[in-house]
Amino acid sequence: MKIYKLKTGILLEQDTKQYYLEHENWDSVINDDHLFNSVQRLTSSLTSIENGKRLIETELEPPILSQELWASGVTYYNSKLGRQEESKAAGGGDFYAHVYEAERPELFFKANANRIVGSGGKVRIRQDSSWDVPEPELTLVITSTGKIVGYTIGNDMSSRSIEGENPLYLPQAKTYDGCAALGPCVYVTKEPLPPDTTIYLEIHRDDNSIFTGNVQISQIKRTFDELVTFLYRECTFPFGSLLMTGTGVVPPNTITLKSGDEIHITVQPIGTLINTVE
Ligand code: DO4
Ligand code: MG
């Protein structure tokens, strides 16, 4: 089942049929420990609509309202390697090796809804940055009790030049206007996603593909529950939260995003998150 946040309501999709909840509040729908059953109940009481595709094309928003978006770091081997290399000159290489092995994961606040765009929206690169990449990340949708009730796709836009200059600059490398994309929907399932679920990243420039890469979620060093447990240790989330689970796809050092590039991140069965760089 898929849940799309639209400008004027919420669209539910089940077995190719679509249902519209007009003026429904995103926060109360999504922050539900029994989301799968609730959506199933709702779809069986509603009449399906015919113009769902058009509504998604014209009204789609990122699947977040009052939730906080957090992110996990150095959860895949490739991320550890890339970061060790970029911060070697600043003396930061060892920190990444340690956090990859440590009991406590790296978790950082990424953004509120006002800094996030949905599929079809424009992500930004900082004007004071010279090396910028998208980070394609499976993103957990978590209720206020700490239960994972859905999945979406995230792009943790990152300035590698700023983070590489000094790891203490991480908040500036990671958080700025247009620093994240989420979507296209929240995928709700009774069972967790299978370990062979694959995250695909493709970057297009002037109609050419300049980079493709992928990783299976089985390659992650930690469990999703472990990440959520640490996040919820000393933070309450009255509206629930979203947690990016880290990148396992790191483009070569020669790749830096430019204005006009198109970023495609696909994770089936969630869908494809598509964004252009402003
Ligand atoms: O350590 C810095 C950030 C790491 C990150 O965003 C990732 O591994 O995805
Ligand atoms: Mg990341």
Side-chain angles (χ1 to χ4, degrees):
M1 282 186 284
K2 294 180 179 179
I3 311 179
Y4 293 87
K5 182 174 186 295
L6 304 181
K7 283 193 184 99
T8 55
I10 293 171
L11 190 136
L12 309 175
E13 190 172 275
Q14 187 176 18
D15 303 329
T16 71
K17 288 208 165 110
Q18 292 164 328
Y19 307 84
Y20 188 52
L21 303 174
E22 204 174 356
H23 305 307
E24 194 66 53
N25 182 273
W26 179 258
D27 290 342
S28 44
V29 169
I30 212 71
N31 189 21
D32 176 353
D33 281 351
H34 307 286
L35 188 58
F36 184 88
N37 292 337
S38 301
V39 172
Q40 221 165 28
R41 237 193 340 267
L42 274 170
T43 55
S44 59
S45 69
L46 291 167
T47 311
S48 64
I49 56 166
E50 296 299 326
N51 62 339
K53 257 204 160 113
R54 194 186 55 78
L55 283 175
I56 293 171
E57 273 164 24
T58 55
E59 290 212 8
L60 191 64
E61 290 195 337
I64 187 164
L65 184 60
S66 306
Q67 295 73 36
E68 291 177 14
L69 174 64
W70 283 66
S72 319
V74 199
T75 49
Y76 288 84
Y77 189 69
N78 278 347
S79 178
K80 172 183 107 79
L81 277 190
R83 280 167 161 111
Q84 277 183 289
E85 200 182 313
E86 82 191 3
S87 66
K88 228 175 4 208
D94 283 355
F95 288 103
Y96 293 104
H98 290 320
V99 82
Y100 183 72
E101 299 293 343
E103 187 200 348
R104 183 190 294 273
E106 178 196 357
L107 298 174
F108 58 93
F109 178 72
K110 177 70 182 174
N112 293 119
N114 62 307
R115 296 213 161 82
I116 302 168
V117 300
S119 192
K122 289 194 169 163
V123 288
R124 293 187 58 253
I125 49 183
R126 292 181 60 117
Q127 288 189 9
D128 56 0
S129 172
S130 57
W131 183 14
D132 298 271
V133 291
E135 294 190 352
E137 307 191 10
L138 181 70
T139 301
L140 311 174
V141 178
I142 311 160
T143 64
S144 42
T145 67
K147 186 164 181 222
I148 300 168
V149 288
Y151 305 92
T152 189
I153 303 171
N155 176 359
D156 171 23
M157 288 286 290
S158 300
S159 162
R160 294 193 68 181
S161 53
I162 294 177
E163 190 189 332
E165 188 180 337
N166 189 322
L168 295 178
Y169 293 153
L170 186 79
Q172 295 174 75
K174 292 289 191 176
T175 304
Y176 54 89
D177 293 344
C179 66
L182 291 173
C185 64
V186 172
Y187 178 72
V188 185
T189 164
K190 243 189 156 74
E191 304 299 327
L193 288 179
D196 63 354
T197 299
T198 306
I199 302 169
Y200 295 91
L201 168 65
E202 185 156 13
I203 306 174
H204 297 261
R205 181 170 298 159
D206 305 326
D207 292 330
N208 298 313
S209 170
I210 60 160
F211 174 77
T212 58
N214 66 75
V215 70
Q216 283 195 358
I217 62 170
S218 60
Q219 297 304 303
I220 195 168
K221 179 81 166 34
R222 301 175 184 272
T223 65
F224 296 152
D225 284 336
E226 180 187 343
L227 296 172
V228 174
T229 301
F230 270 95
L231 179 62
Y232 276 59
R233 266 193 176 181
E234 291 291 338
C235 287
T236 48
F237 296 97
F239 302 99
S241 65
L242 283 88
L243 177 60
M244 292 172 152
T245 55
T247 188
V249 181
V250 180
N253 299 355
T254 47
I255 297 265
T256 183
L257 287 170
K258 281 192 186 150
S259 175
D261 287 354
E262 221 177 66
I263 303 158
H264 293 233
I265 305 173
T266 300
V267 183
Q268 293 305 0
I270 308 170
T272 302
L273 172 66
I274 303 175
N275 297 101
T276 307
V277 179
E278 186 179 287

